[in-house]
Amino acid sequence: MIAPVMGAQQPMGGQPAAATATVTPKAPIDPKKLAVPVAVAAVVVVGGVLIATHKPTVNLNKYITLSAEGYNSIGTLNVEFDTDKLEKDYGKKIAKNFQKAMKNHEEDTYGLSNLAGSLYEGGETSLFVTYCADGSADKTRNLSNGDVVTYTWDGVNEQTKKEAEELFGVKIKCSDVTYKVSGLTAVNTFDAFDGVEVEFDGISPDGSATVNTLPTAEAAKGLYYTLDEQYNLANGDTVTVTVHSNRDDFSDCIEKYGAIPAATEKTYTVEGLNEYVTDSDGLTDSVLVSLQNQAEDVLNAYIAKSWDSECVTLKGMSYLGYYILTPKNKDNYGVYQDVIILPYQVTSHNHFEDDKGQVYDADVSYYWYIAFRNVSKDADGNIAGGLDDYYTANASFDVKTGLDDGWWEKYWSYDGYQTLDELYSNAVTRNVEDYNHQDNVG
């Protein structure tokens, strides 16, 4: 009997989900999941030579056949392993040595190896194929005549070869198998993606994709389309759209229209999304200038509303650089995709004269910051969002004059910090549990 390869599970109404074909002939009894691994483990632990007789070499390539079926451009690969032929050539040898190995390790495995021998009596060759002849093909679908497929015995390694000798009494020989596709039926084709567009929305790297399925071909109007990736997309990523019919081989399309899609997949590149500013390279000069202008507007508006203009005037504000915070885990609730903090050194001139003619006249210098959240830029490098989402320094300190103003001492309160270290602790250090930071101040 020719044992067909068990293919991967297929999505509803679509092409096979996996791109590999694995040789997994059906074993007669399933309890191998318990008994055989225990027996194999015992062989590894005990070591030693179980079979002293001559070990013939099984060339796996002699028993595998690759073929293709279906229609040109959407053909599928068939992989068949001839277990019957292997049974005829080496079945007695494999069965005898497997039963001997199981019996020899009955004590080591607390009887489980003996149980495995009983369960697989008559099915040793299929068991050998399952454990020692595993492989996959580099392409299993969307095949065209002339394509070259390579089948690799990727499940065969030194450990597999050792188990083949110790459990089944044979050596393994194998090499890659190449197959040139031929014999697929030619059929008319149409472009199933003409008129189909993928729309990208959101902000990179949290963009999303949707398929606008308005195909122009009449034969495509009964098909449906799926995306392999839909969320958490960044500019430069690629998404693949796959077209499906009600039948995997599009035979319903052929019956109705006499044609099939020329291609069943098409790749699109994510582009045009605004991007979060998460590092110094992304902080363009244009974005930085916009943030600085907003920072100055915010501070000037606060001064106009809150400072005593008769006594205190702004002498200047000096930009010191920036800190960029990015979340350690962007899926954590309440975190921002980026926080850009601009610290400033602010200087005011303070003048006050009391009723006795005593005068306080001095400059006051302190540190203040503004933090912008979820800052993004467009494709031209200009700011796209975040200017209106900000917070400022949340600490204050007092400057006392030592002079009386009526019943009380005259003083002024400033929102900010007396040292840059205090600012850094409040703006950056307090957030390091949830955010990474990049510093560019100094």
Side-chain angles (χ1 to χ4, degrees):
M1 176 182 68
I2 302 295
V5 171
M6 298 173 64
Q9 183 179 3
Q10 300 180 7
M12 185 177 297
Q15 295 293 325
T20 60
T22 303
V23 178
T24 52
K26 183 177 180 182
I29 306 174
D30 204 24
K32 73 177 188 299
K33 294 180 179 177
L34 174 62
V36 173
V38 174
V40 171
V43 172
V44 173
V45 172
V46 176
V49 178
L50 298 180
I51 304 162
T53 57
H54 170 69
K55 300 180 180 68
T57 298
V58 176
N59 186 349
L60 298 180
N61 290 40
K62 291 175 57 178
Y63 303 94
I64 194 165
T65 301
L66 305 185
S67 61
E69 64 179 4
Y71 298 97
N72 192 41
S73 79
I74 60 169
T76 57
L77 183 71
N78 293 322
V79 182
E80 296 178 336
F81 193 94
D82 196 341
T83 306
D84 285 348
K85 179 174 173 55
L86 180 65
E87 171 71 27
K88 181 178 179 181
D89 294 343
Y90 298 101
K92 291 182 180 180
K93 183 78 173 180
I94 289 173
K96 178 182 177 180
N97 288 314
F98 177 75
Q99 293 298 334
K100 183 178 180 180
M102 295 301 99
K103 184 176 181 180
N104 287 347
H105 286 287
E106 179 180 2
E107 184 175 336
D108 300 328
T109 61
Y110 302 97
L112 282 177
S113 65
N114 193 42
L115 173 62
S118 299
L119 290 173
Y120 282 100
E121 187 172 359
E124 295 89 351
T125 302
S126 293
L127 183 63
F128 167 82
V129 174
T130 298
Y131 274 87
C132 302
D134 188 26
S136 63
D138 60 353
K139 188 175 183 181
T140 62
R141 60 192 182 96
N142 296 329
L143 299 176
S144 299
N145 289 324
D147 287 351
V148 176
V149 177
T150 301
Y151 187 90
T152 305
W153 300 98
D154 45 24
V156 179
N157 51 40
E158 292 305 315
Q159 181 63 31
T160 307
K161 294 178 179 179
K162 179 180 179 182
E163 291 173 3
E165 291 191 45
E166 295 181 340
L167 287 175
F168 300 100
V170 296
K171 296 180 180 180
I172 294 177
K173 176 183 177 181
C174 61
S175 60
D176 290 352
V177 180
T178 57
Y179 165 66
K180 187 174 182 179
V181 178
S182 62
L184 297 177
T185 303
V187 65
N188 292 331
T189 62
F190 62 90
D191 186 354
F193 293 94
D194 186 30
V196 175
E197 297 179 353
V198 177
E199 298 178 356
F200 300 107
D201 297 297
I203 302 175
S204 177
D206 292 323
S208 62
T210 55
V211 183
N212 178 13
T213 54
L214 295 174
T216 57
E218 181 67 24
K221 293 181 179 178
L223 306 178
Y224 65 97
Y225 299 75
T226 59
L227 275 165
D228 64 336
E229 300 289 343
Q230 191 170 0
Y231 302 105
N232 299 319
L233 300 175
N235 286 325
D237 288 348
T238 58
V239 298
T240 299
V241 178
T242 302
V243 59
H244 307 274
S245 182
N246 291 325
R247 299 179 191 170
D248 293 345
D249 61 358
F250 290 87
S251 57
D252 53 338
C253 215
I254 296 173
E255 291 172 3
K256 189 172 183 178
Y257 300 102
I260 59 174
T264 59
E265 293 181 350
K266 186 174 181 179
T267 299
Y268 297 79
T269 300
V270 181
E271 57 186 3
L273 297 178
N274 293 336
E275 296 183 2
Y276 288 114
V277 178
T278 57
D279 53 36
S280 297
D281 291 338
L283 185 57
T284 63
D285 291 342
S286 176
V287 171
L288 184 56
V289 168
S290 295
L291 297 178
Q292 291 171 329
N293 290 340
Q294 180 74 339
E296 293 178 10
D297 289 344
V298 169
L299 183 61
N300 285 325
Y302 172 79
I303 290 173
K305 296 174 185 177
S306 305
W307 282 13
D308 179 1
S309 59
E310 293 184 358
C311 301
V312 184
T313 57
L314 177 64
K315 196 170 182 180
M317 58 183 297
S318 300
Y319 167 72
L320 301 178
Y322 58 82
Y323 309 109
I324 300 178
L325 307 184
T326 53
K328 293 180 177 179
N329 183 353
K330 68 177 185 178
D331 295 326
N332 284 349
Y333 178 77
V335 299
Y336 302 100
Q337 297 303 314
D338 63 48
V339 181
I340 301 179
I341 302 167
L342 306 185
Y344 287 82
Q345 184 173 18
V346 182
T347 302
S348 67
H349 183 74
N350 298 36
H351 180 89
F352 174 74
E353 183 175 348
D354 65 10
D355 294 339
K356 300 176 182 178
Q358 300 180 86
V359 176
Y360 178 93
D361 190 84
D363 289 343
V364 175
S365 184
Y366 68 99
Y367 297 90
W368 174 86
Y369 75 83
I370 184 170
F372 297 93
R373 296 175 286 208
N374 294 330
V375 177
S376 61
K377 62 177 181 178
D378 61 22
D380 296 324
N382 299 319
I383 195 159
L387 274 181
D388 298 327
D389 187 3
Y390 61 83
Y391 59 92
T392 60
N394 59 359
S396 63
F397 65 94
D398 296 335
V399 174
K400 298 180 180 180
T401 64
L403 305 178
D404 292 334
D405 183 16
W407 291 96
W408 315 104
E409 181 182 359
K410 180 66 176 179
Y411 71 94
W412 298 280
S413 289
Y414 287 89
D415 289 338
Y417 308 89
Q418 292 178 284
T419 68
L420 187 58
D421 286 342
E422 289 178 310
L423 181 151
Y424 186 83
S425 178
N426 182 273
V428 178
T429 307
R430 66 181 298 182
N431 292 304
V432 296
E433 179 180 357
D434 297 315
Y435 292 87
N436 298 310
H437 59 94
Q438 303 164 56
D439 302 346
N440 188 31
V441 172

